[in-house]
Amino acid sequence: MQSACGTQGETISETSSKIKEYHFNASHGWYSRAVNKRFNLRFGKLHGEAESADFQGAEKFIPEVTKFIVDYFDGPEFVYNADEFGLNYKKVPTSSLQLPDNKMRGFKPNKIRVTGMVCGNLAGEKLKPLIIGKFQNPRDLPKDSARRDKLACYYEANKSSWMTGSLYWKWFLSCFIPEMEKRHGEDFYVLLLVDNCAAHPEVVGTLDPRVIMIYFDTM
């Protein structure tokens, strides 16, 4: 009966009406007492992506990449990690403090966002971040390329404000490589760690022999 009825009160009630020989009527109260209170079951929402993580692979990867770094690179300043983040900068909070007599009303969430890409090395040194917006020439940014180059970040744009393979390619050649030449000279040799999302095509890792690129398996 349990497998046929499922776990919803409405399904149990419908099924019980068909079992006439028992004269059983499952109400919402019965369902609440029998299932929720007796077994302390609650409806919950899944959070995060912890179940998708490969913990065994991570335990094997850490000593291997550590040995590789020690054997082939001169110090922590030559080991870099880059990753993206999303920022819904116009989204209002969904919770707040209130007085007992006040009723809080929500707003439709504003999904306008930007994507950022940050990069730094094991020595704690940070590179100029990349910001990806929706508009090519936002009103708040200077249109002159010379003035835009003086900003505290690089700026690119596409319709979805997401990182794409072409933008990652451009960031690598136009932002990351010049920063490496400025910091370490033209004859540099560095390691860049990134995740293996679709916006990070592996062919980018072959564009410059001075950069060894390792992809984290996060899929």
Side-chain angles (χ1 to χ4, degrees), residues 50-176:
E51 291 299 326
S52 299
D54 184 5
F55 294 102
Q56 294 181 351
E59 292 179 358
K60 181 180 178 181
F61 175 79
I62 291 175
E64 291 180 354
V65 74
T66 301
K67 184 178 184 304
F68 178 73
I69 291 173
V70 172
D71 293 343
Y72 293 96
F73 296 94
D74 296 333
E77 64 271 17
F78 297 96
V79 181
Y80 289 85
N81 176 226
D83 199 5
E84 293 90 356
F85 65 90
L87 177 62
N88 297 88
Y89 60 94
K90 286 191 175 182
K91 189 175 182 181
V92 298
T94 57
S95 59
S96 179
L97 299 176
Q98 65 172 346
L99 295 174
D101 297 333
N102 291 353
K103 184 177 181 180
M104 299 179 61
R105 293 179 173 85
F107 295 88
K108 184 178 180 179
N110 192 326
K111 297 182 180 180
I112 296 178
R113 60 166 286 156
V114 296
T115 297
M117 185 169 191
V118 291
C119 183
N121 59 27
L122 286 178
E125 300 170 342
K126 301 177 181 63
L127 274 63
K128 196 174 179 179
L130 169 68
I131 300 298
I132 304 172
K134 184 176 182 180
F135 303 104
Q136 191 66 42
N137 294 302
R139 187 177 302 174
D140 297 331
L141 294 184
K143 296 182 179 180
D144 182 17
S145 59
R147 294 178 58 195
R148 185 171 289 192
D149 290 341
K150 297 180 181 179
L151 295 175
C153 66
Y154 302 105
Y155 181 80
E156 296 292 341
N158 62 30
K159 293 182 179 180
S160 61
S161 302
W162 283 84
M163 173 64 78
T164 63
S166 59
L167 287 180
Y168 179 70
W169 189 307
K170 185 176 182 180
W171 170 83
F172 180 77
L173 293 178
S174 303
C175 305
F176 184 76

Side-chain angles (χ1 to χ4, degrees), residues 24-76:
F24 175 69
N25 184 18
S27 63
H28 288 282
W30 175 89
Y31 174 76
S32 176
R33 292 189 299 272
V35 179
N36 291 13
K37 293 183 179 179
R38 180 178 298 177
F39 299 104
N40 196 27
L41 296 178
R42 298 291 185 271
F43 285 102
K45 185 177 180 181
L46 301 179
H47 297 278
E49 302 175 355
E51 291 299 326
S52 299
D54 184 5
F55 294 102
Q56 294 181 351
E59 292 179 358
K60 181 180 178 181
F61 175 79
I62 291 175
E64 291 180 354
V65 74
T66 301
K67 184 178 184 304
F68 178 73
I69 291 173
V70 172
D71 293 343
Y72 293 96
F73 296 94
D74 296 333

